[in-house]
């Protein structure tokens, strides 16, 4: 057990700390939820790229900083921004999902065209994966693209397209080979959201806000070279990015910050002559959550160590999405309970606490438990991949080709 | 940076695991648990050959001077095998206490004998956490009076380390005049606890450290109990997965039913982070004393909750068979039940965790 990063990393950390001290006042406020980064946020992003505190390992020729991947440096960057309470580099779907995909599977031209403006926050992307009939069973997607005069012509509907209204571009899964087996008939297309035939309708959720949209495609024409990977290979292309999304949802620093905010709330919230935290039952729940947050923090350190040794992480990693999302939800639940009747104030009410953020989080985190691979899908993955338990028998026997494709796809999905 | 076990610790784990696989099969556990003596001399001597008895004894007294993380690695394997040996108090807590606050004479008399497996020492500190049934020990003029409950590793101990109400530790030979010993019978027959009744018993106190020594024993004990549950829980999850992979109903392996599969996944998902939590708590005890008490509280309380869930869920996955004595699954269930209650149940420990951070006091 050695929790020291070593002197060369201490120097890196010191450098970063003085950078944050010197430039911290240039950081934008409330950047987290804005789909379209403000000009302030774009400037901050450029400054961070220039110093290598975001897009660190993206090659220089594509607009990144061009450093060699170093897990501990990445970890230190996350730790120090979190510690300073400052926003780190942008993390929208373009940056976290499309850029890694293009780096891995995009053509040289696509890399040069798209990565740099995406990193700089100038080009904003949305993701067109889920459909009303294709959620957990994503490969059942039906949005079609047939070829006509050298274009793909797209018809169908996507759902859960967050930031679709603010996005310049979409990366989208469509069925290009209707006669191919389920997983083998999909292609990964990238196109402008200004293309004629696209209609975006806000999807209002239980939070009262429209964090997502439904996106409709009617005869949307996309040149055939706007495909990433080969025709029919979209499922495998997409799985590279699904892995990145899952990694994104388990952030131990975020849990720790939410927990500290909860402690502060319970110490400050007055109940009669005392404080919410003076209630021993609430305090007991708080201590229980603290132990869970600690467990996930050390689990994260263990994964980090495993990664340093070139080990992908095994069970410790498989459980992160399930456990972290649930824990975040429980932290919000306790904040609401500790606030008593004040906990239900919302919609900008008088006496509302923190802009209704705890209620919003409580509801939105339920969305995160469902999204990005539902808790039930996560449990299937843990059981089948982590514990090697048998699969659910299929209702009808699929064609051997389809079966083989599905197995490979699942293996890829689990490995990601 | 390496958050995990060193190569030496992995070798230690594998050696103890092999030793217990060879010497401590379930049939042997059953013999011990159903017989009069709850401890197995056979398992203990096999472990002694690996140096386990003296692992926490300083080298100058004939031990190996190892760390609590090393001991947690061993405890996990003991829990995995539900091994009936007096590890916690005789081979972890007593050497820590004696090395820390024992007189030179106490150290030279007892530590070498602990290290070579000749002596066993029980530890009675339950009342420093919660006094039940009016128990408690008062110390006056070098003499103890009162009752200490749940003395750990009770049976066959040559001496006991006992905490008085001020938290000071005293060493008492088992045959001291005025000491009456009465065993307590718990659900877990692989462990031994008992009651010590003192009537003006002359004792040798350890150094007066204002209760710090007893507090440190609580921390160490909690980590070891958490590690024991970690191992017992690991075994219960493996058994559930194995059983679900063999048992057929409705023409299917029951492990292919999501209802069953998800029970196993939930166990694994809650179990896995506990491993890191326990490792960290042990490491904090060894290397970050200012964090040790809180980390031990977290490890103890959280594993108490997680493994209660694992114990009942694994039993349910086994269906009716899990409920019988035939499979012996209940030995792990009860081991986990013991670990949860001893040295503070989750609620008591969380109250301590809150107090350690000043949550119970207005600013």
């Amino acid at each position: 057990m050695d929790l020291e990063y070593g002197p060369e990393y201490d120097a890196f950390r010191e450098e970063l700390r003085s950078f944050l001290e010197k430039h911290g006042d240039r950081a934008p406020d409330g950047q987290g939820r804005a789909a379209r980064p403000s000009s302030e946020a774009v400037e901050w992003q450029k400054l961070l790229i220039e110093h290598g505190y975001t897009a660190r390992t993206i090659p220089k020729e594509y607009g990144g900083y061009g450093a060699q991947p170093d897990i501990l440096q990445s970890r230190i960057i996350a730790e120090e921004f979190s510690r300073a309470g400052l926003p780190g580099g942008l993390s929208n779907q373009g940056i976290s999902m499309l850029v890694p995909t293009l780096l891995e599977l995009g053509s040289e031209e696509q890399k040069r065209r798209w990565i740099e403006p995406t990193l700089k926050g100038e080009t904003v992307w949305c993701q067109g994966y889920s459909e009303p009939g294709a959620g957990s069973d994503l490969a059942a997607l039906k949005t079609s693209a047939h070829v006509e005069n050298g274009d793909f012509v797209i018809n169908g509907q996507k759902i859960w397209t967050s930031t679709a209204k603010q996005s310049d571009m979409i990366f989208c899964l469509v069925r290009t080979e209707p006669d191919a087996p389920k997983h083998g008939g999909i292609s990964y297309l990238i196109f402008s959201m200004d293309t004629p035939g696209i209609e975006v309708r806000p999807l209002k959720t239980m939070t009262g806000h429209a964090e997502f949209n439904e996106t409709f495609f009617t005869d949307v024409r996309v040149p055939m070279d706007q495909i990433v990977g080969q025709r029919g290979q979209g499922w495998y292309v997409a799985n590279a990015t699904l892995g990145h999304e899952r990694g994104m949802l388990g952030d131990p620093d975020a849990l720790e910050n939410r927990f500290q905010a909860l402690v502060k709330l319970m110490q400050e919230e007055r109940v009669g002559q005392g404080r919410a935290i003076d209630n021993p039952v609430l305090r007991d729940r708080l201590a229980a959550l603290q132990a869970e947050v600690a467990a996930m923090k050390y689990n994260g350190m263990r994964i980090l160590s495993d990664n340093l040794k070139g080990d992908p992480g095994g069970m410790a990693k498989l459980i992160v999405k399930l456990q972290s999302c649930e824990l975040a939800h429980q932290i919000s639940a306790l904040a609401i309970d500790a606030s008593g009747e004040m906990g239900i104030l919302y919609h900008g009410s008088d006496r509302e606490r923190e802009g209704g953020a705890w209620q919003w989080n409580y509801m939105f985190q339920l969305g995160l438990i469902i999204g990005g691979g539902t808790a039930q899908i996560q449990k299937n993955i843990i059981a089948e991949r982590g514990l090697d338990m048998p699969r659910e028998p299929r209702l009808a026997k699929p064609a051997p080709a389809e079966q083989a494709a599905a197995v490979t796809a699942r293996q890829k999905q689990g490995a990601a | 940076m390496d958050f995990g076990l060193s190569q030496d610790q992995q070798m230690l784990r594998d050696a103890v695991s092999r030793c217990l696989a060879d010497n401590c099969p379930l049939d042997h556990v059953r013999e011990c648990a159903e017989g009069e003596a709850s401890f197995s001399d056979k398992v203990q001597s096999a472990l002694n050959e690996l140096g386990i008895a003296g692992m926490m004894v300083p080298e100058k007294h004939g031990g190996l001077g190892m760390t609590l993380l090393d001991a947690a690695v061993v405890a996990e394997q003991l829990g995995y095998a539900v091994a009936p040996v007096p590890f916690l108090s005789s081979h972890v807590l007593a050497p820590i206490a004696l090395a820390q606050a024992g007189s030179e004479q106490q150290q030279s008399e007892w530590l070498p004998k602990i290290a070579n497996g000749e002596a066993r020492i029980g530890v009675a500190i339950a009342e420093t956490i919660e006094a039940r049934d009016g128990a408690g020990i008062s110390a006056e003029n070098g003499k103890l009076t009162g009752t200490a409950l749940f003395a750990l590793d009770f049976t066959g101990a040559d001496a006991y380390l006992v905490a008085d109400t001020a938290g000071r530790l005293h060493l008492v030979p088992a045959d001291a005049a005025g000491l009456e010993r009465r065993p307590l019978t718990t659900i877990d027959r692989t462990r031994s606890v008992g009651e010590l009744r003192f009537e003006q018993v002359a004792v040798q106190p350890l150094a007066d450290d204002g209760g710090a020594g007893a507090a440190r024993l609580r921390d160490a004990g909690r980590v070891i109990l958490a590690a024991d549950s970690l191992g017992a829980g690991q075994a219960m999850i493996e058994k559930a997965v194995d059983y679900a992979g063999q048992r057929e109903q409705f023409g299917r392996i029951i492990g292919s039913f999501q209802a069953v599969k998800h029970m196993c996944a939930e166990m694994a998902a809650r179990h896995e982070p506990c491993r890191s939590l326990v490792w960290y708590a042990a490491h904090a005890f060894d290397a970050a004393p200012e964090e040790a008490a809180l980390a031990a509280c977290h490890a103890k309380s959280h594993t108490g909750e997680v493994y209660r869930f694992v114990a009942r869920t694994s039993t349910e996955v086994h269906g009716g068979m899990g409920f019988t004595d035939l499979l012996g699954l209940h030995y792990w269930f009860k081991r986990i039940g013991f670990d949860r209650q001893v040295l503070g149940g989750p609620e008591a420990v969380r109250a301590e965790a809150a107090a350690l951070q000043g949550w119970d006091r207005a600013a």
Side-chain angles (χ1 to χ4, degrees), chain B residues 251-267:
Chain B
R252 280 168 65 178
I253 298 286
I254 63 164
S256 70
F257 288 107
Q258 280 195 336
V260 174
K261 195 186 283 186
H262 285 190
M263 289 165 95
C264 294
E266 283 165 20
M267 287 192 280

Side-chain angles (χ1 to χ4, degrees), chain A residues 55-136:
Chain A
R56 183 170 176 82
T57 60
I58 312 276
K60 265 208 159 75
E61 63 262 39
Y62 307 134
Y65 181 74
Q68 285 303 305
D70 185 314
I71 296 166
L72 288 183
Q73 284 179 343
S74 311
R75 182 67 206 138
I76 288 169
I77 293 169
E79 282 171 8
E80 290 303 315
F81 277 88
S82 167
R83 182 174 161 276
L86 292 170
L90 293 173
S91 83
N92 54 38
Q93 290 187 320
I95 290 172
S96 62
M97 299 179 73
L98 176 81
V99 168
T101 305
L102 286 184
L103 281 172
E104 213 166 307
L105 298 160
S107 68
E108 189 55 33
E109 196 201 333
Q110 285 166 339
K111 292 179 194 176
R112 291 192 183 277
R113 170 88 180 77
W114 296 115
I115 294 178
E116 181 157 4
T118 302
L119 291 179
K120 288 185 171 163
E122 294 162 0
T123 303
V124 176
W125 295 78
C126 58
Q127 176 206 67
Y129 284 6
S130 300
E131 297 180 6
S136 294

Side-chain angles (χ1 to χ4, degrees), chain A residues 315 318 377-390, chain B residues 241 255 258 260-266 268:
Chain A
M315 185 65 99
L318 288 181
I377 292 290
Q378 298 299 324
K379 288 176 194 173
N380 284 349
I381 293 172
I382 292 166
E384 290 168 10
R385 288 196 41 78
L387 298 173
D388 208 19
M389 293 184 77
Chain B
V241 170
Q258 280 195 336
V260 174
K261 195 186 283 186
H262 285 190
M263 289 165 95
C264 294
E266 283 165 20

Side-chain angles (χ1 to χ4, degrees), chain A residues 244-252 254-255 320-321 324-325 368 371-373:
Chain A
H244 291 287
E245 181 179 51
R246 266 185 211 131
M248 204 165 71
L249 291 171
D251 176 356
L255 275 179
V320 167
K321 199 260 170 181
S324 302
C325 289
L368 293 181

Side-chain angles (χ1 to χ4, degrees), chain A residues 33-223:
Chain A
R33 281 197 222 156
R36 184 105 220 161
S38 61
S39 58
E40 221 188 351
V42 169
E43 286 312 307
W44 179 243
Q45 176 76 358
K46 287 179 185 166
L47 183 70
L48 297 188
I49 295 175
E50 191 187 311
H51 287 82
Y53 296 136
T54 194
R56 183 170 176 82
T57 60
I58 312 276
K60 265 208 159 75
E61 63 262 39
Y62 307 134
Y65 181 74
Q68 285 303 305
D70 185 314
I71 296 166
L72 288 183
Q73 284 179 343
S74 311
R75 182 67 206 138
I76 288 169
I77 293 169
E79 282 171 8
E80 290 303 315
F81 277 88
S82 167
R83 182 174 161 276
L86 292 170
L90 293 173
S91 83
N92 54 38
Q93 290 187 320
I95 290 172
S96 62
M97 299 179 73
L98 176 81
V99 168
T101 305
L102 286 184
L103 281 172
E104 213 166 307
L105 298 160
S107 68
E108 189 55 33
E109 196 201 333
Q110 285 166 339
K111 292 179 194 176
R112 291 192 183 277
R113 170 88 180 77
W114 296 115
I115 294 178
E116 181 157 4
T118 302
L119 291 179
K120 288 185 171 163
E122 294 162 0
T123 303
V124 176
W125 295 78
C126 58
Q127 176 206 67
Y129 284 6
S130 300
E131 297 180 6
S136 294
D137 185 10
L138 182 60
L141 61 90
K142 289 201 180 74
T143 294
S144 67
H146 67 272
V147 177
E148 207 179 283
N149 302 328
D151 287 335
F152 286 119
V153 180
I154 303 170
N155 283 283
Q157 180 193 350
K158 293 291 173 181
I159 192 169
W160 307 118
T161 34
S162 41
T163 76
K165 274 211 178 301
Q166 298 84 4
S167 291
D168 307 293
M169 296 287 294
I170 184 169
F171 52 99
C172 191
L173 292 180
V174 295
R175 190 162 295 283
T176 51
E177 330 296 315
D179 301 325
K182 191 173 169 182
H183 296 81
I186 297 169
S187 295
Y188 186 110
L189 305 185
I190 50 179
F191 50 94
S192 167
M193 287 297 284
D194 290 334
T195 317
I198 301 180
E199 188 196 347
V200 175
R201 292 183 204 159
L203 180 61
K204 191 170 164 181
T205 70
M206 67 188 293
T207 68
H209 302 278
E211 295 94 346
F212 300 95
N213 303 279
E214 292 177 287
T215 303
F216 297 84
F217 304 110
T218 311
D219 293 330
V220 174
R221 300 187 79 92
V222 172

